[in-house]
Amino acid sequence: MFLNEVLEVGAFTAISLYILVSALIAIKAKDSIYAAAALGMVGLGIAGLIAMLGYGYVAAFHVVIYVGAAVTFVTFSVLMLREQPAEFKEIKVLAALNALLLAGVYLLAIRSTGIGELGSVYLNLGEVARVIIEQYWFPLLIVFVSLATIMIEGIIVARGEEK
Amino acid sequence: MMVLEIIEYIIRLILSPPIFAPIIYPGLVTVLVILLSIIWVERKIAAKVQLRYGPLYVSKPIGGALQMLADATRFFFQEIIVPRDADSIAFLIAPAASLVLPLLPIVFVPAAPSFVAISVEYSLPLVLAISALTPIVIIVMAWAANNKFTIIGGIREAFMVIAYELSLFISALAMAIFYGTLNLEDIVSMQKSLPGVILNPLAAITFFVAMVMATSRLPFDIVEGEQEIVAGPFTEYTGILYGLVMGAGYVQLYILCLVFVELFLSGWYPYIGLLGEIYPALGGVSLFIKAYLLMVFIVFLRSVYGRYRLDQAISIGWKSLLPLSLASVFLSLGLLAAGVVI
């Protein structure tokens, strides 16, 4: 039991470090493609952490959307446009302040929820669907309408280009 | 005594599903055998259709079956050339990644009842999610080689992904909705008496066509387009690096064929209990046979179809496959509403 916990914490720490290193590479990389690949690695790491917390379903879709789709689009854009990242003036003080602020917000969030109180739970997708349909039908309707609108817009844009 | 115990422990370790499944069956060793045989089968079928002999020079008595082994050996001894204008790190890493990424989902694909390397409740979306990462590597490959043919190939790959990805996922999810689970093992166990293809043929057709698009097989080998853009994103690769990128497409085909068989063709049923008693994975050999036959059928398409243009393929993806996949979801919902119970 103890060994399992040690392994779990070890894996969690290793994945977290991997995410931090990948994130650093994503920011520091000179080429957009390397940055995109590192972003993909960050996404995979985060999916790993989500899976370790017991939400495999969310982890799978995290990989599909944030790694599969998002990184494909970034690499696709880089390949099409051959665009290099713009140079920004370093604003270290502001960045440090921002990081501190963000850390404070995270700490507050963690303190308010309480570490260790939330264990992994079994996610019954049928139950989730039932709750969404019964209790959140209006937001669901808005999502459907928005998606349908985007799809129609997409079709109009595509047909416009055909002409 | 101690030595015997160690040997016994090692054998038990190798035969345990978490090791045996990814390394031997249905993993690496099986993939290698498939790679060597399916390319030969593909070339032989194409030759038969075109009234030729096909590969015959190496191992003539067995119909040139060892030709692929000879080719693979040749790749090992060929020089690896990195173009001067290429980004050498990405250029060298991408082929290895292109072979590893399509191979990763194998750990979530069950080969027989309770025989899987990593058993998870959401194996179906996980397998599809990891498979969806391969195009990124192909685009990186195209960018790294920095050649006009590779760039055109990379852009074609990106366009193709957008055309088939959605339909592939939706048609697979249509089956998940019908069976009420995202676990491949549970989906197979529910097809013991009736395969999914009979219940939801729309999903099967959509998944099949999207699968052919995903693996860049004819009539959708637009990314490579041999007569148009040399070898697309793989144009600059030589030696074993070319061997790796060439093999990657077949690996992805194999994984998606396994998923197709598990979603629509009853997976490892009929389960052969006699073989299963010897070793659990052997009982599920029907899964492998069906997947292999499906692969043979897909490589056969090369002999009878011409290549679609990119705009035609995208049009098929958005105008035919997407509506069909959405219809397959409604069909699943309709079957559930009608009270069809497996």
Side-chain angles (χ1 to χ4, degrees), chain B residues 32-52:
Chain B
L32 193 69
V33 173
I34 283 175
L35 273 182
L36 292 176
S37 64
I38 200 75
I39 300 172
W40 174 76
V41 170
E42 180 176 15
R43 291 176 64 179
K44 274 288 181 193
I45 292 174
K48 266 271 184 268
V49 173
Q50 295 160 5
L51 304 175
R52 296 184 286 111

Side-chain angles (χ1 to χ4, degrees), chain A residues 31 33-34 44 55-57 60-61 63-64 67-68 71-73 75-76 78-80 82 122-123 125 151 162, chain B residues 87 89-90 121-122 125-126 129 132-133 136 139-140 143 146 151 154-155 158-159 161-162 169 173 182 319 322:
Chain A
D31 275 312
I33 285 273
Y34 281 101
L44 283 177
Y55 299 94
Y57 181 74
F61 278 89
V63 174
V64 174
V67 186
V71 178
T72 305
F73 274 112
T75 47
F76 182 28
V78 174
L79 200 68
M80 284 276 276
R82 294 294 192 101
Y122 175 69
L123 190 69
L125 294 176
M151 202 172 210
E162 261 177 31
Chain B
D87 184 298
I89 299 173
E121 204 54 34
Y122 311 107
L126 268 174
L133 303 182
I136 298 172
I139 295 173
V140 170
W143 171 84
N146 199 17
I151 301 282
I155 290 169
F159 273 121
V161 172
I162 298 163
F169 268 78
L173 289 180
L182 288 163
K319 290 179 185 165
L322 186 63

